[in-house]
């Protein structure tokens, strides 16, 4: 099975009421872990490359790794640009073979975000590539944020409807209380806001910063319309803590395969667990 678009997977997720995991990759071992977990769970999956991953590995390496992984995969896989920074970068990724791009204009004014997203949608739709955009500010949120701050940073439901109508995006990342990276306390998601957004936006919704969010909260978000769940830090943590454990137990080990192999296995387990939480296990068979 070759690469599919994220929109194709999200259409099935929307119809079935489940969410697809979008897992960040940085190196060969993590690409392999994502594919192995998806195959073992018979789940569709989105492999995504962040700005850091592109800097570290290079666009062509990421593409080559994912294409090789997909060649033998019997589950639908989309290759997605995470938090794209510009129109030019989106075009580079489309040319490189990505089947989905995110354009993150969330730091811009509403009108500027709409204008940038529209340009990307125009070129991506001509190339058969799906587009995710973001409205609201995910990165700046804190656990103990005040109500006024929430209104300033979180996604406004009416604005979300207007944004989607104006841009024609395939999916929308919403700010409802998650934050990127590891949490100090337990994140509190604004489910009332999510319900209002879902009632107004006829497109799949995306949850960023999902590492460390309790399974029950993620399930609730999926039941209320989240269809793509982004996970990076939980994979990094499993991978790196296993590297630490292996080196602590074998301080003289010099074979990278004996260090990175167990880390890859740990990443597979975390990803499989997430897939089960998102409700996409076995869904590849129905697509
Ligand atoms: O775009 C990527 C994600 O939102 C990952 O966030 O590292 O908190 O899982 P996370
Ligand atoms: Zn994100």
């Amino acid at each position: 099975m070759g690469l599919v678009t994220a929109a194709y997977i999200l259409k099935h997720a929307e119809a079935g009421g489940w969410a697809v995991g979008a897992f960040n990759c940085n190196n060969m071992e993590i690409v392999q872990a994502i594919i192995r977990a998806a195959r073992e769970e018979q789940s569709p999956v989105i492999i995504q490359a962040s700005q850091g991953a592109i800097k570290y590995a290079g666009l062509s390496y990421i593409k080559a790794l994912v294409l090789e992984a997909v060649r033998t995969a019997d589950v639908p896989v989309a290759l997605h640009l995470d938090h794209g920074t510009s129109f030019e970068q989106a075009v580079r990724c489309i040319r490189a073979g990505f089947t989905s791009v995110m354009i993150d204009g969330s730091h811009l004014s509403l009108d500027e975000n709409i204008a940038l997203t529209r340009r990307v949608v125009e070129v991506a739709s001509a190339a058969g590539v799906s587009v995710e955009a973001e409205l609201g500010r995910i990165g700046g949120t804190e656990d103990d944020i005040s109500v006024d701050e929430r209104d300033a940073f979180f996604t406004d439901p009416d604005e979300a409807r207007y944004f989607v109508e104006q841009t024609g995006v395939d999916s929308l990342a919403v700010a409802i209380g998650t934050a990127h990276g590891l949490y100090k306390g337990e994140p509190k998601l604004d489910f009332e806001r999510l319900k209002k957004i879902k009632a107004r936006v006829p497109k799949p919704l995306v949850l960023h910063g999902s590492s460390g969010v309790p399974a029950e909260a993620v399930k609730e978000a999926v039941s209320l319309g989240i269809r793509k769940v982004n996970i990076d830090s939980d994979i990094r943590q499993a991978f790196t803590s296993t590297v630490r454990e292996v080196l602590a137990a074998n301080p003289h080990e010099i074979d990278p395969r004996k260090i990175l192999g167990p880390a890859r296995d740990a990443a597979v387990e975390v990803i499989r667990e997430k897939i089960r939480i998102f409700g996409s296990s076995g869904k590849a068979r129905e697509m």
Side-chain angles (χ1 to χ4, degrees):
M1 198 179 273
L3 285 170
V4 300
T5 63
Y8 170 79
I9 299 174
L10 293 173
K11 187 181 73 187
H12 286 270
E14 193 72 68
W18 45 271
V20 62
F23 301 103
N24 286 80
C25 69
N26 296 293
N27 58 14
M28 180 189 76
E29 284 76 11
I30 292 178
V31 170
Q32 290 173 329
I34 297 168
I35 288 288
R36 201 200 299 169
R39 294 189 70 182
E40 286 173 5
E41 290 296 326
Q42 278 299 295
S43 168
V45 76
I46 297 174
I47 302 181
Q48 54 187 16
S50 66
Q51 300 305 307
I54 291 170
K55 251 186 234 142
Y56 176 74
L59 211 53
S60 53
Y61 266 91
I62 291 171
K63 176 197 166 184
L65 287 168
V66 173
L67 285 184
E68 179 54 23
V70 161
R71 205 171 51 81
T72 50
D74 52 356
V75 295
V77 181
L79 174 56
H80 176 76
L81 167 67
D82 191 27
H83 292 285
T85 49
S86 67
F87 174 78
E88 290 75 14
Q89 185 184 50
V91 172
R92 276 196 298 279
C93 288
I94 293 167
R95 280 176 57 92
F98 281 52
T99 53
S100 179
V101 292
M102 176 184 186
I103 181 70
D104 184 355
S106 60
H107 55 288
L108 302 171
S109 70
L110 179 63
D111 287 344
E112 287 167 340
N113 192 357
I114 288 172
L116 174 62
T117 304
R118 229 190 223 162
R119 280 182 79 202
V120 173
V121 168
E122 206 175 321
V123 69
S125 61
V129 167
S130 42
V131 180
E132 173 184 328
E134 179 174 321
L135 193 61
R137 300 289 291 274
I138 291 161
T141 53
E142 298 285 340
D143 294 343
D144 57 353
I145 200 161
S146 72
V147 174
D148 284 353
E149 286 169 316
R150 276 177 178 245
D151 283 336
F153 286 109
F154 286 13
T155 305
D156 177 82
D158 291 317
E159 218 169 75
R161 169 164 50 194
Y162 178 70
F163 182 86
V164 168
E165 280 168 3
Q166 293 296 310
T167 57
V169 278
D170 297 288
S171 60
L172 183 69
V174 292
I176 56 163
T178 56
H180 292 111
L182 300 176
Y183 293 95
K184 288 190 200 94
E186 193 172 299
K188 286 183 186 53
L189 273 57
D190 188 342
F191 293 119
E192 287 311 309
R193 185 179 297 266
L194 178 57
K195 277 185 207 163
K196 287 183 190 146
I197 298 169
K198 185 66 189 166
R200 289 165 178 74
V201 174
K203 293 285 177 182
L205 302 176
V206 181
L207 192 65
H208 281 245
S210 310
S211 293
V213 179
E216 286 317 310
V218 173
K219 284 182 184 168
E220 175 81 7
V222 173
S223 78
L224 296 174
I226 291 292
R227 298 288 168 248
K228 172 175 178 273
V229 184
N230 285 14
I231 299 284
D232 188 356
S233 302
D234 279 344
I235 303 174
R236 294 180 192 206
Q237 195 164 39
F239 193 91
T240 308
S241 62
T242 305
V243 168
R244 285 199 184 95
E245 280 164 27
V246 171
L247 287 175
N250 312 279
H252 303 296
E253 183 58 67
I254 61 152
D255 185 344
R257 294 165 297 189
K258 294 191 176 145
I259 302 163
L260 300 180
R264 180 173 56 189
D265 293 343
V268 171
E269 286 319 306
V270 168
I271 297 164
R272 286 191 69 172
E273 191 188 332
K274 299 289 180 190
I275 287 173
R276 291 194 286 263
I277 292 168
F278 305 158
S280 68
S281 288
K283 301 298 180 191
R285 297 192 199 100
E286 300 167 15
M287 294 174 66

